[in-house]
Amino acid sequence: MPLDQGSEAPRGPIRFGVVGYGWRADFYFRLARLVPDRFQCVGAVTRKAEVGERLEREWNIPTYRRPEDLVSSGAPEVVVTSVPREANPDVIRALVGLDTAVLSETPPAEDADGMRRLWADVGAADLVQVAEQHPYLPVVVAVRSLIEQGVLGDVTSAQVSWTHDYHATALLRTLLGVRAEPARVSAVHTTTPVLEGPDRGGWPDVQRVQDVVHTLSILDFAGRTGVYDFTDGQWFHPWRRRHLILRGSRGEIVGNDVIWAGEDGRPLSAPIVRRHLGLDGNLEGADLDTLSWAGRVLYRNPYPGARLSDEEIAIATCLERTGLWRRGEAAAPYPLADACQDHLLGLAVHEAAERGAPVTTAVEPWADAVRLP
């Protein structure tokens, strides 16, 4: 998971196709519309012709009924799978069989056995990346930059209360620099009352307090500790904000605040500062510009002028990195092996909570292929 942000446009837009449709697929269609110099959607696959006709009208793209037709007619460099998780493995197998690079929906398979079968079938082909955008969110890239610069010293613990399952474990493993070694996972599920917030469909017509599941877990990676803290529906809930705590031998990060030991050992502090355009009298456009810290730019928006949300920036980065990887111009952004490991850890969190006892993950067949984040 390289930190370079690809601020310079690649040689021609990344040509991609999509298998499936719906809320997640629309992110990719929007990218092709909003950043046409970097992304070109060459078509989508839908089983039903009437769905295809709707996509053709809405997004001005050709549609096909089979992945084979998309690959032969559209010549995509990458095909994004956006289908239900139970269908995803077979779609991946079909595309790999066509010698096509895949950017798979998360997770790549339903459970551990499904991931082992998928890895046995396609792992050696090295054609599959997974659309895990969270390590590429701007603030996460900024924090990773501070880690790589050694500002925090040896990072030993990370706490994430932000997103769920494999997304959260991807963040924990990335921030802690953990690969595929066994982890001892303990967890608990409790219920807590929370005022209902928005979901994918927007705000509820009538707000009410609901009992939701709160999951708290500790993942012990033999000396490095990850804390998983998630309340159902937290993704964009205004009353359950993002919480990120990262601790190292020379300092810590709490939210956007950084404290660290200077060269003389005295404590210093400075926040990670977001420069967002279009505020007050600024006429540069409504866009993220940079994230900086103590006079250093840690992150620069690689898609200026597109007015993308942070989530869209991260999704675009993952897609572009996959295309550049396929061209041989960049390292793999988030390989199948990493996705399998993170989903394995997410499954272990829930297993431990349901058992009421710790679970220790095993070394899996994909372990040697997991990249150091």
Side-chain angles (χ1 to χ4, degrees):
M1 300 180 195
L3 290 179
D4 51 317
Q5 297 163 35
S7 57
E8 295 183 1
R11 292 183 294 101
I14 302 298
R15 293 170 53 84
F16 72 93
V18 177
V19 177
Y21 67 97
W23 185 78
R24 182 58 67 181
D26 285 351
F27 276 86
Y28 295 95
F29 299 144
R30 281 196 299 272
L31 288 177
R33 178 172 290 175
L34 294 171
V35 200
D37 60 324
R38 307 284 276 272
F39 305 103
Q40 179 185 359
C41 182
V42 298
V45 177
T46 64
R47 289 185 301 168
K48 297 180 180 179
E50 58 269 28
V51 175
E53 291 171 0
R54 176 171 59 80
L55 293 185
E56 290 172 5
R57 290 194 304 271
E58 290 182 4
W59 299 106
N60 192 30
I61 57 173
T63 64
Y64 307 90
R65 305 289 79 80
R66 303 185 309 158
E68 295 91 330
D69 297 330
L70 167 65
V71 171
S72 62
S73 300
E77 296 175 278
V78 178
V79 174
V80 177
T81 67
S82 184
V83 297
R85 66 177 63 182
E86 61 271 15
N88 198 44
D90 285 341
V91 175
I92 293 173
R93 290 184 180 97
L95 290 167
V96 170
L98 297 169
D99 193 33
T100 300
V102 180
L103 182 59
S104 166
E105 179 61 280
T106 56
E110 284 193 271
D111 53 27
D113 285 340
M115 290 190 294
R116 293 178 189 120
R117 291 192 295 270
L118 181 62
W119 180 257
D121 291 342
V122 306
D126 192 26
L127 284 171
V128 183
Q129 302 295 312
V130 177
E132 178 52 72
Q133 75 274 14
H134 285 78
Y136 293 101
L137 286 164
V139 70
V140 176
V141 176
V143 168
R144 292 165 63 192
S145 177
L146 291 176
I147 294 171
E148 289 210 341
Q149 292 177 44
V151 172
L152 302 181
D154 184 22
V155 175
T156 55
S157 71
Q159 179 174 341
V160 170
S161 181
W162 191 343
T163 187
H164 75 312
D165 296 351
Y166 38 85
H167 299 307
T169 54
L171 285 174
L172 289 172
R173 195 172 59 80
T174 298
L175 295 170
L176 290 171
V178 171
R179 295 188 68 185
E181 52 265 48
R184 185 178 186 272
V185 182
S186 57
V188 62
H189 288 323
T190 60
T191 58
T192 185
V194 179
L195 183 64
E196 188 177 8
D199 59 17
R200 292 181 181 181
W203 285 89
D205 293 331
V206 178
Q207 285 187 311
R208 58 190 181 277
V209 174
Q210 293 183 314
D211 284 337
V212 296
V213 176
H214 174 219
T215 303
L216 186 62
S217 176
I218 296 177
L219 297 87
D220 183 357
F221 298 102
R224 297 179 186 268
T225 304
V227 179
Y228 172 112
D229 183 349
F230 183 74
T231 301
D232 282 2
Q234 184 176 343
W235 304 284
F236 31 73
H237 201 300
W239 299 288
R240 288 294 183 270
R241 294 180 299 168
R242 164 175 67 87
H243 297 275
L244 175 66
I245 300 175
L246 196 62
R247 291 193 168 113
S249 58
R250 295 185 60 85
E252 72 172 13
I253 298 174
V254 179
N256 290 329
D257 294 322
V258 185
I259 186 166
W260 74 103
E263 292 182 1
D264 60 359
R266 292 183 180 275
L268 302 170
S269 63
I272 297 172
V273 178
R274 180 187 184 99
R275 181 172 189 260
H276 203 95
L277 308 178
L279 302 179
D280 300 323
N282 182 280
L283 299 179
E284 296 178 74
D287 245 340
L288 168 65
D289 183 27
T290 60
L291 294 175
S292 61
W293 166 83
R296 307 181 201 175
V297 174
L298 302 178
Y299 183 87
R300 195 178 301 278
N301 183 0
Y303 309 104
R307 300 190 178 188
L308 302 180
S309 68
D310 284 10
E311 184 92 352
E312 290 169 324
I313 290 172
I315 292 169
T317 302
C318 200
L319 174 59
E320 187 166 47
R321 287 282 166 213
T322 301
L324 295 176
W325 160 76
R326 181 57 165 165
R327 293 177 182 180
E329 298 174 6
Y334 187 78
L336 176 61
D338 290 68
C340 289
Q341 185 65 22
D342 289 327
H343 190 28
L344 182 79
L345 293 170
L347 292 170
V349 167
H350 293 286
E351 182 183 352
E354 290 160 7
R355 280 191 184 185
V359 171
T360 300
T361 60
V363 176
E364 296 289 344
W366 54 76
D368 289 342
V370 171
R371 291 171 48 83
L372 182 64

